[in-house]
Amino acid sequence: MRCDHCSRSEATVFVELHHNIGMLFARRSYTTAAELCRKCLGKSFWHHTLRNLTLGWWGTISFFVTWYYLLSNIVTYVQARAEMGRSRQRAAPAVKEARGADALRILQPFEHNIRMQLRMGDDPSDIARDMARLHGVESSAAQAFVEQLRTSA
Ligand SMILES: [Zn+2]
């Protein structure tokens, strides 16, 4: 995606960040709602945080709104950074996934765990997806393995 602020194309995340300006008996909110790259996300986060901290508190309602904005901005920021990290991993050249007998050899030690998860009623395709991701095996191989355990349970 293309960043709404600097128009560079790289990993971006849609975020909404806010700040409050308290004026004793009135208040105003300012919002950024945009698709942002990592750099602009940081800039925007500090832009709003600084204003919340310095201009936010002045007024009874403002006091609470500012707290809310500060916390929700932090949550948004942390989640957006995590999201960017994941999309960067996806973009990186994929590590070759194990398949066939290799996959089986990797998955075998987890047979007990998988059986437990199946017994607890977890969705077989969720289990297979986790296995594939955690242990670097092809998802079709993980699926076949889980399926085989499910039918032999
Ligand atoms: Zn940007």
Side-chain angles (χ1 to χ4, degrees):
M1 289 290 274
R2 190 176 278 272
C3 174
D4 288 340
H5 280 193
C6 67
S7 336
R8 267 196 307 258
S9 326
E10 49 179 289
T12 58
V13 173
F14 184 80
V15 291
E16 282 189 40
L17 297 163
H18 311 275
H19 75 263
N20 180 67
I21 292 188
M23 296 165 278
L24 293 185
F25 300 107
R27 48 175 287 272
R28 257 198 94 172
S29 295
Y30 297 83
T31 298
T32 298
E35 197 71 53
L36 296 181
C37 70
R38 181 177 287 259
K39 214 167 154 193
C40 295
L41 171 68
K43 259 196 236 164
S44 186
F45 173 75
W46 288 112
H47 170 92
H48 289 289
T49 300
L50 207 66
R51 281 157 188 76
N52 274 325
L53 288 174
T54 52
L55 305 169
W57 312 103
W58 314 102
T60 314
I61 297 171
S62 285
F63 181 82
F64 294 103
V65 171
T66 300
W67 266 116
Y68 174 75
Y69 282 170
L70 278 168
L71 294 176
S72 91
N73 287 352
I74 289 171
V75 170
T76 301
Y77 179 72
V78 169
Q79 282 174 347
R81 292 285 298 229
E83 178 70 27
M84 278 170 185
R86 276 197 296 276
S87 63
R88 183 176 289 191
Q89 270 171 8
R90 275 198 298 272
V95 183
K96 205 164 167 11
E97 294 166 325
R99 49 172 142 183
D102 281 342
L104 216 58
R105 191 171 41 76
I106 293 169
L107 292 173
Q108 208 71 60
F110 301 100
E111 179 180 335
H112 178 72
N113 301 41
I114 296 171
R115 281 191 197 279
M116 293 288 285
Q117 281 177 281
L118 285 169
R119 217 165 296 154
M120 291 194 304
D122 288 4
D123 188 338
S125 56
D126 285 346
I127 302 173
R129 204 177 40 234
D130 283 351
M131 282 287 141
R133 204 187 46 203
L134 291 171
H135 307 298
V137 302
E138 225 177 39
S139 66
S140 60
Q143 225 138 46
F145 186 72
V146 171
E147 192 56 28
Q148 178 204 326
L149 294 182
R150 193 174 70 85
T151 49
S152 71

